[in-house]
Amino acid sequence: MTADVLSGTELAAALHARTARRAAGSAERGHPPRLVVVLATGEESTAWYVRSIARAAGRVGIDCTVVDVGAAATTEEIRAVLDRLAVDDAVHGIILQTPLPPGVEVADLVGSIPPGKDVDGAGPQSLGRLVCGWPGFAPATARAVVEVLDHAGHDLAGRHVVVVGRSTVVGKPLAHLLLDRDATVTVCHSRTKSLAEHTRTADVLVAAAGRIGLITADHVRPGAIVVDVGTNSTLDGRLVGDVDARTVPGVAGALTPVPGGVGPVTTALLLEHTVTAALAAAGPSATQEGP
Ligand code: NAP
């Protein structure tokens, strides 16, 4: 058996096309969508990722500015930047890119992003709304997993989904999105005993641990759908997932590639959220245009 490839590139292209139309509509109404990414690290891989978001934004008519506060920025300095962006009517979306400088905690800062501009669903209000099942911006990567499965026509109702990883960015919000879709959800983490015993019970297995090759064929029930969220850099500069790409395709029914799976859909959703925020700022008649 060779697993079907669940590519995210076609879905991302469709999302970008719709976002471009909506961005033009927002601009016509006097709100050209604007996204600001606050960067506070010298890590080249993170800077590259942020530049790739900015390029994608430009292609769909979103102005994306990167505010690089430097890898030595303090909590107070970063908060001052976020507070300024929070009250700037020309800014519709704000992303605080991690990692942050040593000693600076995400939890001390994300509350400074107003929920209406929190396009990566990182703040406590966004996450609280997600847990309650209320409207708001969900973390883009978690949403991307669900969108990829939807796009491939996999109904989640009643399916057992095992998520490996419990971060606030991916695993925890994803568990709630899956519950909202009537899946039965198990969340595993680094303290889970006998990981494979859990993952082998999955109809859908989501790997979001950030560990190269963590998920091998032994972890996968034959025919299961496997979504690889991991994006890990190898020593020779390649981008690889958490799933062992040599053994798992022989067991899984379907598998997302890395790169080209969840990643491009995540970027597309960040931009979609930014335009949704801009249309909301443009007023009720504009938002009736819908997502
Ligand atoms: P994170 O904050 O480091 O969380 C990793 C999670 O995996 C933690 O809950 C950890 O458990 C768990 N874990 C680590 N080792 C494990 C093991 N051996 N067995 C079981 N669970 C284990 O990472 P993250 O931000 O969620 O990101 C996860 C991966 O997704 C990374 O590769 C990241 O680059 C990637 N990512 C991709 C996108 C995208 O757009 N494609 C976006 C965001 C993240 P504990 O809680 O017990 O420590």
Side-chain angles (χ1 to χ4, degrees), residues 49 141 164-167 169-171 188-191 195 208-211 214 229-232 242 262-263 266:
Y49 171 66
T141 306
V164 182
R166 59 173 166 180
S167 74
V169 180
V170 191
C188 300
H189 46 81
S190 69
R191 305 291 296 273
L195 181 66
R211 297 283 181 274
L214 175 69
V229 179
T231 48
N232 312 298
D242 291 353
V262 173
T266 298

Side-chain angles (χ1 to χ4, degrees), residues 11-284:
L11 170 58
L15 290 168
H16 283 313
R18 190 176 62 176
T19 295
R21 286 194 298 274
R22 297 175 71 226
S26 187
E28 275 170 23
R29 291 174 171 92
H31 281 266
R34 184 160 175 234
L35 172 66
V36 177
V37 184
V38 178
L39 184 67
T41 175
E43 267 187 19
E44 179 45 32
S45 59
T46 305
W48 180 90
Y49 171 66
V50 167
R51 284 197 299 272
S52 78
I53 293 175
R55 277 196 303 273
R59 285 197 291 269
V60 296
I62 296 174
D63 174 55
C64 179
T65 307
V66 179
V67 176
D68 187 348
V69 294
T74 63
T75 301
E76 289 68 31
E77 286 166 348
I78 299 172
R79 187 179 292 121
V81 171
L82 294 175
D83 286 347
R84 181 171 53 75
L85 296 171
V87 296
D88 185 340
D89 290 340
V91 173
H92 305 102
I94 303 169
I95 297 172
L96 176 61
Q97 185 61 47
T98 56
L100 296 173
V104 177
E105 300 297 333
V106 173
D108 292 332
L109 289 167
V110 279
S112 297
I113 303 174
K117 298 187 181 188
D118 185 13
V119 291
D120 201 12
Q125 292 202 45
S126 301
L127 290 166
R129 297 185 74 84
L130 174 65
V131 171
C132 296
W134 297 345
F137 294 125
T141 306
R143 228 195 108 196
V145 172
V146 176
E147 293 284 338
V148 166
L149 291 166
D150 277 351
H151 181 68
H154 295 296
D155 186 11
L156 290 165
R159 311 295 290 280
H160 182 206
V161 185
V162 177
V163 180
V164 182
R166 59 173 166 180
S167 74
T168 312
V169 180
V170 191
K172 282 178 184 163
L174 176 58
H176 289 284
L177 290 175
L178 292 165
L179 288 172
D180 280 349
R181 302 296 296 274
D182 298 322
T184 301
V185 184
T186 299
V187 181
C188 300
H189 46 81
S190 69
R191 305 291 296 273
T192 297
K193 290 187 177 135
S194 309
L195 181 66
E197 280 180 24
H198 294 280
T199 58
R200 272 200 302 265
T201 65
D203 299 313
V204 178
L205 173 58
V206 182
R211 297 283 181 274
I212 295 174
L214 175 69
I215 303 299
T216 65
D218 290 343
H219 292 78
V220 179
R221 185 178 62 71
I225 298 154
V226 181
V227 179
D228 192 353
V229 179
T231 48
N232 312 298
S233 300
T234 62
L235 290 175
D236 57 357
R238 287 175 302 124
L239 192 68
V240 299
D242 291 353
V243 171
D244 179 6
R246 289 163 307 158
T247 60
V248 172
V251 181
L255 171 65
T256 61
V258 177
V262 173
V265 179
T266 298
T267 301
L269 292 175
L270 285 173
L271 301 180
E272 181 189 290
H273 290 175
T274 302
V275 173
T276 298
L279 284 167

